[in-house]
Amino acid sequence: MSNYRNKILSVAALAVALAPILASAQDATAKRVADFVECKLSLEQVNAFGDELNAEQIKGLAQTDDGGDAALMLWKSAQPLSAWGEKSSYVNFPSRQEMHLAYKVPAGQELKVGEALAKRIGGMSPRPDLAAMIETYGWKGLDYRKVLPGEKTVRVLVDVSYAPGWVTVGCGYGDAIQ
C-alpha cells in the first residue's frame, strides 16, 4: 500500500509542478488569439498559427459545439479572451486566415450590439453587396469591414439568419475576407 501511496503522491506533486507551465501556455495562447483577432499578427504568424492548430499543438484552445444551432465553427479558450473591447471565451474561424471573437448577446439585440461595436471601432462600412444579399436572399444581419495596412481587414459580422444570438468581431489576413 505504501508503494501505491508514493505513486499517488508523485503524480500529485508532478501535477502541482506542471500547473504554472500549463497556465503560462494557456495565457500565451489567449494572447496570440487576441493578437490574431485584433489584426496584430503578420500573415506568416497567422499561417504558423494555422499549422499549429491543424497539428493540435495549441494548448488551451479546443473545438466546441457550445454554439448550439448557430452556424459557427466555435473554439473555446481555457482563458477568457479580450479583443476589440469585448470579452469572450469563444472564437470562430471562418477560414484559417480569419478569426473572430464570438460573444453571446440577447436575442433581438444582435444588430444593435453589432452596430455599436462597428461605431466604436470606427471607419467601418458595410460590405459592398450587402443590400443585394438582403434583397435577393432575405439575409438578416450586418457585415461591416475596415481595411487596414498590411492586407488586413477588421470585420464585425452579425448573421441573425444562421447564428442568432451571436456577434463576431475579428480580422482577416491576405484575401481571407472577400
Side-chain angles (χ1 to χ4, degrees):
M1 190 68 153
S2 167
N3 194 19
Y4 178 74
R5 183 173 177 251
N6 287 340
K7 286 182 182 179
I8 289 176
L9 289 174
S10 294
V11 169
L14 180 61
V16 169
L18 289 176
I21 294 168
L22 294 174
S24 176
Q26 290 174 353
D27 288 344
T29 295
K31 174 152 180 25
R32 284 178 70 200
V33 170
D35 286 350
F36 190 131
V37 169
E38 289 188 326
C39 300
K40 293 179 180 177
L41 300 181
S42 68
L43 186 56
E44 292 78 23
Q45 290 171 310
V46 167
N47 289 333
F49 187 93
D51 291 344
E52 289 176 49
L53 191 63
N54 286 339
E56 298 180 7
Q57 295 174 335
I58 297 182
K59 305 294 182 213
L61 193 63
Q63 274 191 293
T64 180
D65 59 0
D66 289 353
D69 292 337
L72 296 173
M73 184 177 178
L74 289 180
W75 292 69
K76 187 170 185 180
S77 172
Q79 298 292 320
L81 306 168
S82 180
W84 295 111
E86 298 299 332
K87 291 185 181 195
S88 178
S89 292
Y90 297 99
V91 291
N92 175 45
F93 284 97
S95 75
R96 289 295 183 213
Q97 292 183 321
E98 183 178 1
M99 184 192 301
H100 296 179
L101 182 71
Y103 60 99
K104 197 80 171 130
V105 298
Q109 296 295 308
E110 301 94 340
L111 295 173
K112 180 180 174 183
V113 171
E115 287 171 357
L117 177 58
K119 184 176 180 183
R120 188 170 72 229
I121 292 171
M124 300 195 83
S125 56
R127 66 184 280 168
D129 63 345
L130 185 61
M133 285 185 61
I134 293 168
E135 184 177 321
T136 304
Y137 302 109
W139 186 74
K140 295 180 181 111
L142 64 86
D143 189 348
Y144 288 153
R145 295 143 184 237
K146 177 180 180 178
V147 176
L148 299 176
E151 297 185 65
K152 301 172 187 178
T153 304
V154 180
R155 185 180 195 188
V156 174
L157 179 63
V158 175
D159 190 341
V160 180
S161 297
Y162 298 101
W166 291 90
V167 172
T168 65
V169 58
C171 188
Y173 293 78
D175 60 358
I177 298 176
Q178 296 296 321

